């Protein structure tokens, strides 16, 4: 009888006693098992246990937050151009962590994340008291922008430049102490012909908004 039970535990026909027995005698570390397990070989390959596989895991942190409804704005397809629709007034949205999350989204390469992150970041910085809300976030925003400016995708880099200029226009000289973290990536792209003009304009604007930077 016990042989039959042991066999049955491996093919996942689970009377209560068999389930208990399989847990005790199983040589594999026990993790909670899903109710349905199609093949005994699934035990050896935990990746196949998740019935949704890759589909249940968004590809990035920003995509995950967006999927959960954590970004309070949505893309509206217009006949001529797209725009964002906010669920509440941007003035009422806490900058922490939304501004940082939107900045992280600038590294996205898929639609609609590319548009939502870029436009959301821009529109959030347009609210009346954006300066005092954004300054405390600079220590977290700058490393995110640095990663954006280091990205190999040209469009991502372009979005990073735009976001940096927008941020500089809002926080002014407060950004100066952080610029040293970004200048390496900017000067590297300054060597590339296709970005020379845009990077030069960005550096001029950073100087304009921040005063003379040594």
């Amino acid at each position: 009888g016990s042989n039959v039970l042991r066999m049955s535990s491996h093919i996942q026909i689970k009377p209560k006693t068999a389930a208990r027995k399989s847990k005790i005698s199983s040589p594999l570390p026990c993790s909670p098992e899903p109710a349905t397990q199609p093949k005994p070989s699934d035990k050896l390959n935990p990746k196949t246990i998740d019935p949704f596989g890759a589909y249940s895991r968004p590809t990035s942190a920003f995509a995950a937050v967006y999927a959960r409804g954590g970004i309070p704005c949505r893309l509206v397809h217009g006949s001529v151009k797209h725009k964002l629709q906010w669920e509440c007034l941007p003035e009422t949205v806490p900058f922490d962590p939304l501004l940082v999350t939107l900045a992280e989204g600038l590294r996205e390469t898929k639609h609609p994340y590319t548009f939502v992150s870029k436009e959301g970041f821009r529109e959030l910085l347009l609210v009346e008291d954006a300066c005092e809300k954004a300054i405390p976030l600079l220590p977290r925003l700058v490393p995110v922008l640095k990663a954006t400016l280091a990205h190999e995708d040209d469009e991502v880099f372009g979005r990073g430049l735009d976001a940096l200029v927008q941020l500089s226009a809002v926080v002014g000289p407060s950004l100066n102490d952080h610029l040293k973290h970004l200048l390496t990536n900017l000067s590297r792209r300054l060597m590339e012909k296709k970005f020379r003009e845009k990077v030069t304009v960005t550096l001029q604007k950073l100087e304009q908004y921040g005063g003379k930077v040594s």
Side-chain angles (χ1 to χ4, degrees), residues 70-209:
I71 310 289
C73 50
R74 283 285 174 272
L75 170 66
V76 179
H77 290 278
S79 53
V80 181
K81 57 185 283 192
H82 302 323
K83 62 175 188 170
L84 276 191
Q85 183 175 333
W86 291 82
E87 289 160 15
C88 46
L89 290 172
E91 291 81 4
T92 63
V93 176
F95 269 44
D96 185 1
L98 184 62
L99 191 66
V100 180
T101 306
L102 289 166
E104 284 167 350
L106 296 170
R107 295 201 299 277
E108 294 289 336
T109 52
K110 293 196 177 99
H111 187 76
Y113 310 130
T114 47
F115 181 85
V116 171
S117 58
K118 178 182 177 172
E119 194 58 23
F121 188 84
R122 187 185 74 80
E123 290 186 19
L124 208 52
L125 285 176
L126 290 176
V127 305
E128 202 174 320
D129 50 356
C131 179
E132 60 203 56
K133 289 179 174 178
I135 287 173
L137 298 177
L138 288 177
R140 284 154 62 199
L141 281 169
V142 169
V144 174
L145 289 176
K146 181 182 179 180
T148 308
L149 294 169
H151 203 284
E152 60 206 22
D153 187 287
D154 289 352
E155 286 186 15
V156 170
F157 177 73
R159 284 196 291 276
L161 285 181
D162 291 341
L164 180 58
V165 169
Q166 288 154 12
L167 186 63
S168 176
V170 168
V171 302
S174 299
L175 189 60
N176 291 358
D177 288 343
H178 301 275
L179 285 179
K180 57 182 180 289
H181 302 297
L182 305 171
L183 290 176
T184 313
N185 292 339
L186 290 176
S187 49
R188 192 165 56 84
R189 292 292 188 124
L190 195 56
M191 302 297 121
E192 293 178 34
K193 194 176 174 187
K194 61 184 167 184
F195 281 117
R196 192 170 300 150
E197 190 182 339
K198 190 159 185 183
V199 172
T200 304
V201 169
T202 298
L203 290 169
Q204 287 167 349
K205 288 189 173 175
L206 292 175
E207 194 173 303
Q208 176 193 332
Y209 298 133

Side-chain angles (χ1 to χ4, degrees), residues 58-68 108 113:
T59 49
S60 67
F62 183 81
V65 175
Y66 188 82
R68 285 201 305 271
E108 294 289 336
Y113 310 130

Side-chain angles (χ1 to χ4, degrees), residues 26-44:
S26 168
L28 295 171
C30 259
S31 57
E33 288 180 343
T36 57
Q37 217 173 330
K39 300 190 295 298
S41 61
D42 286 351
K43 268 191 171 176
L44 306 173

Side-chain angles (χ1 to χ4, degrees), residues 5-58:
L5 278 180
R6 202 171 290 115
M7 281 170 63
S8 71
S9 76
H10 284 292
I11 53 172
Q12 301 302 310
I13 299 168
K14 282 192 165 181
K16 277 182 184 168
T17 49
R20 210 170 291 122
K21 201 171 184 73
S22 73
K23 276 190 176 159
I24 296 162
S25 62
S26 168
L28 295 171
C30 259
S31 57
E33 288 180 343
T36 57
Q37 217 173 330
K39 300 190 295 298
S41 61
D42 286 351
K43 268 191 171 176
L44 306 173
N45 183 5
K47 281 183 186 159
T48 57
I49 290 173
D50 177 4
F52 302 106
Y55 299 107
S56 65
R57 283 189 296 278

